Amino acid sequence: MIQEIPAQELHEERFIAEKVKALQETVADGCAINALSGGVDSSTVTMLGHQALGDRLKTYFIENGLMRQGEAQKVVQLFAELGVIVEVVDARDEFLAALKGVIDPEEKREAVTQTFYNKVFGRLVRQSGVKYLLQGTILTDVDETVAGIKRQHNVFEQLGIDPKEAFGYHILEPLVQLRKDGVRKVGRALGLPAELFSRIPFPGPALAARIIGEVTAERLDTVRNATAIVEDLLKDTQTFQYMAILHQDRVTGIHEGKREYGQQIEIRCWDSLDARTAQPTNLPFDLLTKLAQEIIANVSGVVSVTYNITSKPPSTIEAI
Ligand code: XMP
């Protein structure tokens, strides 16, 4: 049973000191590795790990081809400014191969999980000889996995999976008592810039969680381009999270005077405190219209843009 620390009761400095000490004791004079995706949780755990272990923590950015535009360069640069060296591992082909032909949401999540933990990290661990993987699992990930809502790609122990047996290394999860609001407080106290600690959440399976149906390089480009537009136009809204989702169904539209059986993008924008429940943001209609115009004008093949007006539950924040 994980003892939750609600954000209002969190004493960041004390929390950091305790977790730094625990990491130092566990890893002792060994080394650990971690994957930094640039999301709030992995950025915070990276800073925590570096405070505890310094150069004995090696940080990787796994370029899985499922990330947002320019993400690898952005993350490497932001962390270089914080004194953390991030090595980029190009695993795009491996992830695309694992996702080929996969349509079922849980199978898609499982394909990302296995490629990440078994293949890519398994290899990195074998090459570097480390015993520990540090990761930013939070309580919401665990709750939803245990409740059977979604298999969050980073949750194992609570499902009876021993990472040491399954993958050959131990997983350390210092943020697992926190929810997103608590993680942001810790990230800020660890010196992350607001650009990182207040960043909107982004899921572990990345853009694969936002493609309904098969994930292909072309469909990734479509959702990536739409995501860039949505993130740019909604960045000043002070909402919890916003995203573009690519649907599997096609719809009839008109393109340059001709009928086009095209693609459909769904926009979601959420008000939420901790992702457990969420409400669609009441965005001004003018802004919604602008989003549609920009997506239609700049994302080829898209002929329809919709806005989600369903709360979580029964919706979930991501599409798969
Ligand atoms: P859902 O879609 O389950 O999302 O309502 C709740 C929150 O969690 C994020 N999310 C994930 N985060 N690994 C993560 O680290 C995952 O597999 C994952 N799936 C969803 C989602 O973006 C939202 O903020």
XYZ file of all heavy atoms in Angstrom, residues 37 41-42 109 112-113 136-138 140-141 144-145 149-155 180 184 200-206 209-210 240-241 243 268 270 272 274-278 312 315-320, ligand 1:
413
model
N 11.940 12.016 -20.688
C 11.107 12.275 -21.865
C 10.850 13.764 -22.019
O 10.345 14.211 -23.040
C 9.759 11.554 -21.726
O 9.020 12.151 -20.672
N 7.090 14.552 -14.842
C 7.529 13.509 -13.907
C 8.974 13.085 -14.186
O 9.786 13.000 -13.265
C 6.609 12.274 -13.999
C 5.135 12.643 -13.862
O 4.851 13.714 -13.298
O 4.290 11.868 -14.332
N 9.297 12.821 -15.433
C 10.654 12.348 -15.713
C 11.672 13.474 -15.535
O 12.809 13.239 -15.140
C 10.758 11.702 -17.096
O 10.725 12.653 -18.126
N -0.213 -0.137 -25.953
C 0.534 0.238 -24.747
C 1.574 -0.833 -24.411
O 2.701 -0.521 -24.050
C -0.426 0.426 -23.566
C -1.173 1.729 -23.642
C -2.184 1.912 -22.545
N -2.595 3.301 -22.554
C -2.034 4.258 -21.820
N -1.110 3.968 -20.935
N -2.414 5.507 -21.942
N 4.610 -0.637 -26.660
C 5.522 0.456 -26.273
C 6.294 0.053 -25.013
O 7.510 0.196 -24.938
C 4.739 1.774 -26.033
C 5.649 2.861 -25.485
C 4.076 2.248 -27.323
N 5.580 -0.504 -24.044
C 6.215 -0.920 -22.783
C 7.326 -1.928 -23.038
O 8.446 -1.776 -22.547
C 5.158 -1.583 -21.852
O 4.153 -0.626 -21.601
C 5.768 -2.043 -20.542
N 9.945 8.093 -13.056
C 9.039 9.035 -12.401
C 7.599 8.584 -12.316
O 6.690 9.384 -12.512
N 7.362 7.313 -11.979
C 5.990 6.828 -11.798
C 5.308 7.647 -10.702
O 5.896 7.888 -9.658
C 6.007 5.354 -11.306
O 7.032 4.680 -11.993
C 4.659 4.695 -11.485
N 4.059 8.040 -10.906
C 3.325 8.757 -9.857
C 2.080 7.947 -9.463
O 1.729 6.978 -10.136
C 2.969 10.207 -10.265
C 1.950 10.244 -11.405
C 4.229 10.978 -10.637
C 1.393 11.651 -11.659
N -1.082 8.405 -9.588
C -2.202 8.288 -10.533
C -1.937 7.156 -11.538
O -2.864 6.428 -11.904
C -2.407 9.630 -11.278
O -2.316 10.679 -10.314
C -3.748 9.693 -11.972
N -0.682 7.000 -11.947
C -0.339 5.903 -12.873
C -0.669 4.562 -12.229
O -1.248 3.672 -12.859
C 1.170 5.892 -13.202
C 1.654 7.181 -13.830
O 0.819 7.921 -14.360
O 2.878 7.441 -13.786
N -4.607 3.957 -11.668
C -5.399 3.640 -12.861
C -5.047 2.272 -13.420
O -5.889 1.596 -13.990
C -5.225 4.736 -13.912
C -5.670 6.061 -13.327
C -6.217 7.036 -14.326
O -5.813 6.976 -15.497
O -7.048 7.859 -13.926
N -3.808 1.882 -13.231
C -3.409 0.554 -13.696
C -4.061 -0.509 -12.826
O -4.638 -1.473 -13.321
C -1.877 0.427 -13.659
O -1.334 1.421 -14.518
C -1.422 -0.946 -14.120
N -8.196 0.600 -15.364
C -8.661 1.612 -16.315
C -7.720 1.627 -17.513
O -8.135 1.532 -18.661
C -8.736 3.001 -15.646
C -9.805 2.976 -14.553
C -9.058 4.090 -16.687
C -9.822 4.178 -13.655
N -6.444 1.744 -17.231
C -5.444 1.709 -18.294
C -4.180 1.098 -17.764
O -3.825 1.316 -16.613
C -5.083 3.139 -18.736
C -5.891 3.611 -19.889
C -5.509 4.987 -20.288
C -6.695 5.617 -20.979
N -6.409 6.957 -21.454
N -3.493 0.390 -18.588
C -2.205 -0.142 -18.194
C -1.187 0.951 -18.481
O -0.759 1.133 -19.600
C -1.924 -1.394 -19.040
C -0.509 -1.865 -19.020
C -0.235 -2.657 -17.746
N 0.978 -3.449 -17.923
C 2.184 -2.980 -17.656
N 2.347 -1.764 -17.218
N 3.231 -3.759 -17.835
N -0.863 1.752 -17.439
C 0.141 2.810 -17.628
C 1.455 2.109 -17.931
O 1.774 1.099 -17.317
C 0.268 3.671 -16.377
C -1.047 4.279 -15.925
C -1.432 5.550 -16.662
O -0.580 6.210 -17.235
N -2.688 5.880 -16.662
N 2.192 2.657 -18.869
C 3.300 1.878 -19.391
C 4.439 1.686 -18.390
O 5.302 0.861 -18.595
C 3.815 2.501 -20.694
C 4.914 3.465 -20.508
N 4.785 4.563 -19.710
C 6.160 3.462 -20.993
C 5.921 5.214 -19.739
N 6.761 4.577 -20.495
N 4.395 2.424 -17.279
C 5.526 2.355 -16.353
C 5.201 1.661 -15.030
O 5.923 1.813 -14.063
C 6.031 3.773 -16.076
C 4.897 4.701 -15.655
O 3.752 4.299 -15.594
N 5.236 5.939 -15.353
N 4.099 0.938 -14.962
C 3.718 0.320 -13.685
C 3.900 -1.204 -13.762
O 3.378 -1.839 -14.666
C 2.250 0.675 -13.327
C 1.792 -0.074 -12.085
C 2.116 2.177 -13.122
N 0.252 14.710 -9.655
C 0.886 15.702 -10.530
C 1.151 17.031 -9.830
O 2.215 17.640 -9.991
C 0.001 15.911 -11.764
C 0.665 16.585 -12.920
C 1.785 15.769 -13.517
C 1.323 14.790 -14.549
N 2.375 13.918 -15.053
N 4.895 18.807 -9.354
C 5.260 20.160 -9.822
C 5.953 20.942 -8.711
O 6.925 21.662 -8.961
C 4.006 20.923 -10.264
C 3.365 20.366 -11.530
C 2.337 21.367 -12.055
N 1.340 20.760 -12.902
C 1.517 20.400 -14.174
N 2.688 20.588 -14.747
N 0.547 19.876 -14.875
N 2.468 20.951 -19.449
C 1.295 20.069 -19.412
C 1.769 18.610 -19.418
O 2.811 18.297 -19.992
C 0.318 20.325 -20.588
C 1.042 20.258 -21.931
C -0.421 21.629 -20.410
C 0.098 20.192 -23.119
N 0.995 17.730 -18.773
C 1.394 16.318 -18.749
C 1.459 15.743 -20.171
O 0.734 16.192 -21.059
C 0.277 15.651 -17.958
C -0.425 16.737 -17.232
C -0.253 17.979 -18.048
N 2.322 14.768 -20.321
C 2.440 14.077 -21.609
C 2.607 12.588 -21.286
O 3.398 12.233 -20.427
C 3.650 14.620 -22.381
C 3.708 14.145 -23.800
C 2.753 14.568 -24.712
C 4.703 13.278 -24.219
C 2.796 14.130 -26.033
C 4.754 12.832 -25.535
C 3.796 13.265 -26.443
N 1.859 11.715 -21.939
C 1.853 10.307 -21.517
C 3.107 9.534 -21.938
O 3.737 9.878 -22.953
C 0.628 9.750 -22.242
C 0.496 10.594 -23.460
C 0.972 11.967 -23.079
N 3.416 8.502 -21.169
C 4.572 7.650 -21.486
C 4.521 7.084 -22.905
O 5.516 7.167 -23.641
N 3.382 6.541 -23.349
C 3.340 6.007 -24.719
C 3.313 7.119 -25.778
O 3.183 6.857 -26.969
C 2.050 5.195 -24.766
C 1.629 5.034 -23.349
C 2.174 6.188 -22.598
N 3.402 8.364 -25.304
C 3.559 9.534 -26.164
C 2.456 9.614 -27.229
O 1.303 9.307 -26.940
C 4.964 9.545 -26.769
N -0.466 7.231 -27.826
C -1.704 7.270 -27.025
C -2.736 8.183 -27.669
O -3.851 8.312 -27.181
C -1.395 7.742 -25.610
N -2.338 8.848 -28.749
C -3.242 9.826 -29.371
C -3.570 9.464 -30.816
O -4.044 10.303 -31.571
C -2.598 11.206 -29.293
C -2.428 11.598 -27.837
C -1.793 12.906 -27.635
N -1.714 13.174 -26.209
C -1.075 14.199 -25.691
N -0.475 15.053 -26.483
N -1.044 14.373 -24.393
N -5.290 22.316 -17.657
C -4.468 21.203 -17.163
C -3.701 20.517 -18.286
O -2.528 20.192 -18.170
C -5.369 20.191 -16.442
C -4.636 19.014 -15.876
C -3.946 19.114 -14.681
C -4.635 17.789 -16.548
C -3.250 18.018 -14.161
C -3.951 16.691 -16.029
C -3.263 16.814 -14.830
N -4.382 20.299 -19.415
C -3.765 19.531 -20.497
C -4.569 19.716 -21.778
O -5.795 19.875 -21.721
C -3.748 18.045 -20.109
C -2.820 17.184 -20.916
C -2.681 15.775 -20.326
O -3.270 15.472 -19.287
N -1.917 14.935 -20.985
N -4.584 18.527 -26.210
C -3.985 17.577 -27.147
C -4.783 17.463 -28.441
O -5.930 17.900 -28.508
C -3.932 16.204 -26.494
C -5.299 15.638 -26.212
S -5.275 14.275 -25.039
C -4.769 15.100 -23.540
N -8.814 17.898 -27.550
C -9.291 17.815 -26.162
C -8.537 18.852 -25.350
O -7.332 19.042 -25.559
C -9.034 16.420 -25.567
C -9.834 15.329 -26.243
C -9.630 13.992 -25.553
N -10.417 12.958 -26.222
C -10.543 11.713 -25.776
N -9.933 11.339 -24.659
N -11.274 10.841 -26.433
N -8.476 20.074 -21.154
C -9.021 19.636 -19.863
C -8.751 20.605 -18.727
O -7.631 21.118 -18.596
C -8.395 18.298 -19.468
C -8.673 17.157 -20.394
C -7.802 16.606 -21.291
C -9.888 16.395 -20.509
N -8.395 15.552 -21.946
C -9.676 15.402 -21.488
C -11.134 16.471 -19.867
C -10.666 14.480 -21.845
C -12.103 15.554 -20.232
C -11.866 14.572 -21.210
N -8.460 20.198 -14.761
C -8.306 19.116 -13.786
C -7.281 19.531 -12.743
O -6.445 20.404 -12.991
C -7.820 17.844 -14.495
O -7.590 16.817 -13.556
N -5.679 16.847 -10.671
C -4.701 15.769 -10.542
C -4.930 14.636 -11.535
O -4.440 13.540 -11.332
C -4.734 15.226 -9.112
C -6.145 14.776 -8.721
O -6.961 14.563 -9.628
O -6.406 14.645 -7.521
N -5.700 14.893 -12.566
C -5.950 13.921 -13.648
C -6.903 12.788 -13.273
O -7.260 11.978 -14.114
C -4.647 13.336 -14.206
N -7.341 12.735 -11.990
C -8.248 11.641 -11.633
C -9.632 11.873 -12.210
O -10.314 10.959 -12.635
C -8.327 11.475 -10.117
C -7.127 10.709 -9.598
C -7.266 10.385 -8.150
N -7.101 11.560 -7.335
C -7.109 11.551 -6.013
N -7.282 10.427 -5.376
N -6.921 12.657 -5.337
N -10.057 13.129 -12.150
C -11.281 13.515 -12.848
C -10.903 14.741 -13.676
O -9.924 15.420 -13.373
C -12.421 13.898 -11.879
O -11.965 14.991 -11.087
C -12.799 12.732 -10.983
N -11.662 15.019 -14.712
C -11.335 16.177 -15.546
C -12.592 16.641 -16.276
O -13.499 15.837 -16.534
C -10.249 15.799 -16.552
N -14.143 13.383 -17.778
C -13.543 12.146 -17.268
C -14.038 11.963 -15.848
O -13.798 12.858 -15.032
C -12.023 12.230 -17.255
C -11.381 11.036 -16.526
C -9.876 11.122 -16.422
C -9.360 9.920 -15.645
N -7.901 9.871 -15.593
N -15.011 9.552 -19.997
C -13.871 9.658 -20.907
C -12.600 9.430 -20.097
O -12.633 9.447 -18.858
C -13.862 11.060 -21.521
O -12.795 11.201 -22.418
N -11.489 9.201 -20.730
C -10.198 9.340 -20.063
C -9.531 10.528 -20.742
O -10.024 11.028 -21.762
C -9.327 8.073 -20.180
O -9.173 7.733 -21.555
C -9.950 6.917 -19.423
N -8.432 10.999 -20.173
C -7.799 12.201 -20.722
C -7.208 11.916 -22.096
O -7.444 12.647 -23.058
C -6.759 12.753 -19.718
C -7.514 13.369 -18.540
C -5.826 13.757 -20.402
C -6.664 13.955 -17.439
N -6.451 10.826 -22.203
C -5.889 10.430 -23.491
C -6.908 9.580 -24.252
O -7.900 9.138 -23.673
C -4.597 9.621 -23.274
C -3.532 10.334 -22.458
C -2.882 11.494 -23.188
O -3.037 11.595 -24.426
O -2.214 12.302 -22.529
N -6.598 9.315 -25.508
C -7.581 8.577 -26.328
C -7.444 7.063 -26.227
O -8.374 6.338 -26.542
C -7.435 8.997 -27.785
N -6.273 6.591 -25.818
C -6.166 5.121 -25.662
C -5.634 4.823 -24.272
O -5.051 5.692 -23.635
C -5.268 4.445 -26.739
C -3.794 4.748 -26.478
C -5.652 4.850 -28.136
C -2.897 3.643 -26.927
P -5.894 9.112 -18.664
O -5.872 9.098 -20.149
O -5.673 7.749 -18.071
O -4.640 9.975 -18.235
O -7.104 9.801 -18.104
C -4.410 10.457 -16.933
C -3.139 11.267 -16.971
O -2.011 10.404 -17.120
C -1.338 10.676 -18.351
N -1.036 9.352 -18.922
C 0.115 8.713 -18.731
N 1.227 9.073 -18.083
N 2.219 6.993 -18.630
C 2.278 8.216 -18.051
O 3.322 8.535 -17.480
C 1.133 6.552 -19.306
O 1.105 5.434 -19.823
C 0.031 7.478 -19.359
N -1.184 7.392 -19.911
C -1.827 8.565 -19.633
C -2.294 11.476 -19.191
O -1.604 12.314 -20.101
C -3.066 12.235 -18.154
O -2.408 13.407 -17.728
